[in-house]
Structures are given as structure tokens and as C-alpha cells.
């Protein structure tokens, strides 16, 4: 109900410049939203410039579990959507270490049509964690993929929550003390994306709230305990059915 109310509220603020897109759906929820910088070559590069400077403009993104909206922010907190795509039509490439002469946390967003790029946007985030969170939101792994990543890689790093954390953004994970996470992504500016072993929920948390589990035997024990509980739960469900 809360997710639907959020969509109804957001729908009042969004205007589609072209085709109308039905935003409100019971199976849709907001994963991440915010502003990034779009980088583009100038339309008329200076003749004297050895390397034409990229022009910049703000672009606002709403990432849902099944689609992406790209818009320009307008007055009164409204948004004019100029592009949108379903999740299977999205590709993201991290370019921060591959582009010469372009500083910052840069990634390429491609919107596909018939498996070929139809629109491309070069986007820049302010921090490494912000960039990685955008990439994760637009290229999410499924619950089954997360489960397989843990079961097939017993040496996946693990951390344990040392003090409770309440999620502040939709892509973050609320933690209780002693929660154990398998780490999927770690950034140099103090954030990590993890999968909680107890329920398979995935999200981002500040590294200051967790401690590394350095003992391999402890990590293996945590995985075995997770499998044991999962097996027992499945048997109970089969008996109830």
C-alpha cells in the first residue's frame, strides 16, 4: 500500500513529453531516484581547442524495479520525462577507469531497441558509491542469482552488523545488530552492497555499521546454517501443502 501511494504521489508530478506511460501499478516500486550530470560534446567545438570541453546538464532519474524514467526537473518539483525504458532494454557500463581526460565517476547508459543501442547517455556521479548504487539499481541481480552467488562461492566475504542501521533510501538495507551479510560490492568511500543471509534481502549499508568476518570456518558455518534453515522451511511448506 505504501508503494502504491508513493506512485500515486509521483504520478501527479510527472509529465511525459511523448507517449503516455501508465506509471501506477501494484507490481511496481521505486528503487532509486536522484540527479546526475549528463556529459555531451559541444554542438560547435572551438577550432582553437585541442580537446573540446564536454558540456554538462542535469538529468533526473527514477529507477523502478521494472523500468527507468529520464527527465528534466521543472518548477514546483515537477518532472518532464523525455525518455523511458523497460529493464531488459537497459545496459550500463562503468567507464571511470577507461576514459582519458574525463574526471569523475562516469558510466555509460544505453537504451536498447531490438538488442541494439538506440540512445546513449554519458553520466557522471559525485562519488564512487553513488555511481555503483546507480549501476546496481539499473542492473539488478535476481533473488535466485543472489542465492546462487552465495551457494557457489563459499569464500564470498561476509560482514556482521555491530549496531542497528535504519535505511534512509529505497536501495538501502535496514539492519539489526548481529545480522550477517554476504558482500557483493564494496566501494572505497565507505559503502557496501550485501545480501542478508537470513532472508536474502539485498541492499546498501555504510561499512561503519559492520565488521568483517575474517574466519573462513565462521563464514562456512553461517552458510551451512542458512542452508539448514532454508531446507527445514521448505519441508514445512511442503507438509502444509
Amino acid at each position: 500500500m505504501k508503494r502504491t501511494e508513493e506512485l500515486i504521489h509521483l504520478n501527479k508530478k510527472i509529465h511525459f513529453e511523448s507517449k503516455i506511460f501508465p506509471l501506477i501499478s501494484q507490481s511496481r516500486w521505486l528503487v532509486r531516484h536522484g540527479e546526475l550530470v549528463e556529459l555531451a560534446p559541444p554542438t560547435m567545438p572551438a577550432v582553437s581547442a585541442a580537446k573540446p570541453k564536454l558540456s554538462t546538464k542535469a538529468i533526473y532519474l527514477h529507477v523502478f524495479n521494472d523500468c527507468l524514467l529520464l527527465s528534466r526537473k521543472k518548477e514546483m518539483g515537477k518532472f518532464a520525462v523525455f525518455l523511458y525504458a523497460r529493464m531488459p532494454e537497459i545496459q550500463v557500463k562503468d567507464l571511470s577507469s577507461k576514459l582519458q581526460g574525463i574526471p569523475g565517476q562516469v558510466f555509460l547508459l544505453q537504451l536498447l531497441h531490438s538488442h541494439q543501442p538506440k540512445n546513449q547517455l554519458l553520466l557522471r556521479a559525485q562519488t564512487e558509491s553513488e555511481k555503483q548504487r546507480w549501476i546496481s539499481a539499473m542492473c539488478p541481480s535476481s533473488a535466485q542469482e543472489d542465492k546462487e552467488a552465495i551457494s557457489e562461492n563459499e569464500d564470498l566475504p561476509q560482514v556482521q552488523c555491530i549496531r542497528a542501521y535504519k535505511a534512509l533510501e529505497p536501495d538501502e538495507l535496514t539492519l539489526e545488530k548481529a545480522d550477517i551479510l554476504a558482500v557483493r560490492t564494496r566501494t572505497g568511500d565507505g559503502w557496501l552492497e550485501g545480501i542478508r543471509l537470513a532472508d536474502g534481502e539485498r541492499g546498501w549499508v555504510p561499512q561503519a555499521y559492520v565488521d568483517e568476518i575474517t574466519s573462513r570456518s565462521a563464514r562456512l558455518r553461517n552458510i551451512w546454517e542458512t542452508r539448514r534453515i532454508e531446507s527445514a522451511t521448505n519441508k514445512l511448506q511442503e507438509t502444509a501443502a
Side-chain angles (χ1 to χ4, degrees):
M1 181 64 70
K2 184 179 178 182
R3 287 173 171 176
T4 303
E5 289 175 356
E6 189 176 42
L7 286 178
I8 293 172
H9 178 71
L10 183 59
N11 193 54
K12 296 176 181 178
K13 296 182 175 182
I14 286 180
H15 166 70
F16 287 83
E17 295 181 352
S18 55
K19 185 178 178 181
I20 299 299
F21 181 83
L23 184 63
I24 300 172
S25 169
Q26 290 186 341
S27 61
R28 178 175 296 137
W29 63 87
L30 186 64
V31 175
R32 184 170 177 78
H33 67 98
E35 199 167 73
L36 289 169
V37 174
E38 180 187 1
L39 306 174
T43 53
M44 294 293 290
V47 177
S48 60
K51 287 186 178 180
K53 289 186 177 180
L54 295 174
S55 63
T56 61
K57 53 185 174 181
I59 182 172
Y60 206 93
L61 287 77
H62 289 90
V63 182
F64 300 90
N65 62 306
D66 62 345
C67 64
L68 165 68
L69 306 183
L70 303 175
S71 61
R72 307 291 182 197
K73 204 168 184 180
K74 302 297 183 181
E75 295 179 353
M76 307 296 292
K78 295 186 180 296
F79 303 93
V81 178
F82 62 92
L83 278 176
Y84 66 87
R86 305 284 183 179
M87 277 303 175
E89 302 169 337
I90 296 172
Q91 279 189 355
V92 181
K93 298 178 181 178
D94 187 354
L95 300 179
S96 293
S97 61
K98 298 177 182 177
L99 290 180
Q100 298 294 327
I102 301 180
Q105 301 295 329
V106 181
F107 63 95
L108 180 68
L109 171 62
Q110 295 179 315
L111 307 184
L112 309 179
H113 179 70
S114 299
H115 306 290
Q116 297 297 321
K118 182 180 179 182
N119 300 95
Q120 295 192 130
L121 296 95
L122 192 60
L123 302 174
R124 183 168 65 198
Q126 292 185 348
T127 64
E128 180 190 357
S129 58
E130 183 187 11
K131 177 194 66 179
Q132 292 296 344
R133 287 170 70 163
W134 280 113
I135 292 174
S136 176
M138 288 187 274
C139 300
S141 55
S142 67
Q144 183 61 32
E145 288 171 334
D146 288 342
K147 182 179 175 181
E148 290 173 358
I150 295 172
S151 62
E152 293 175 5
N153 185 2
E154 294 181 338
D155 283 327
L156 203 65
Q158 293 179 15
V159 294
Q160 185 167 25
C161 178
I162 55 176
R163 53 194 174 107
Y165 177 73
K166 182 173 176 59
L168 302 177
E169 298 291 341
D171 63 342
E172 294 179 12
L173 194 61
T174 293
L175 295 180
E176 297 295 335
K177 190 174 180 180
D179 278 353
I180 296 172
L181 307 178
V183 180
R184 290 299 303 267
T185 308
R186 203 188 303 255
T187 70
D189 56 348
W191 286 83
L192 64 81
E193 183 184 31
I195 306 162
R196 184 163 46 212
L197 295 187
D199 57 9
E201 286 291 313
R202 177 171 50 89
W204 290 84
V205 297
Q207 293 189 47
Y209 286 77
V210 299
D211 263 354
E212 195 82 18
I213 300 176
T214 56
S215 168
R216 186 173 189 274
S217 60
R219 293 196 300 270
L220 290 174
R221 188 164 58 247
N222 293 334
I223 292 175
W224 293 336
E225 180 66 11
T226 300
R227 290 172 179 167
R228 185 188 68 79
I229 294 173
E230 183 182 354
S231 176
T233 302
N234 290 338
K235 287 179 180 178
L236 284 174
Q237 291 175 343
E238 289 172 2
T239 302

